Amino acid sequence: MAKAKESIQLPDDLAAAALIDAKTCAAIGSMGMSWWFAAVRDGRAPAPAFRAVRATRWRRSEVLEFWQNFGRS
């Protein structure tokens, strides 16, 4: 029987600086990746912190702030 993967908890200060992918960014707000990429393109969502071929990443803290403020006028 395969052993289940352990979940690793990051310290809060390290978690705030973590870089996450588009799939995770969209999932945090229960949206699809196409919605996320459109929001980034239109300037509504945070710009990526790191861009490389197949490795674009966003700062977790900025994404969480975006979703906390999403829908507020």
Side-chain angles (χ1 to χ4, degrees):
M1 184 181 335
K3 187 175 179 181
K5 267 190 175 179
E6 286 187 37
S7 178
I8 298 172
Q9 292 289 58
L10 296 174
D12 289 340
D13 56 340
L14 183 58
L19 297 177
I20 57 176
D21 62 5
K23 186 175 181 179
T24 304
C25 294
I28 292 170
S30 299
M31 297 292 194
M33 285 180 51
S34 59
W35 185 94
W36 177 255
F37 284 122
V40 171
R41 181 192 65 227
D42 296 343
R44 293 179 287 141
F50 178 80
R51 277 187 203 251
V53 177
R54 304 186 87 164
T56 303
R57 300 292 185 264
W58 286 260
R59 285 184 186 86
R60 179 180 176 269
S61 59
E62 291 177 1
V63 172
L64 291 175
E65 182 180 349
F66 167 77
W67 285 118
Q68 287 172 348
N69 296 321
F70 183 73
R72 293 183 185 171
S73 298

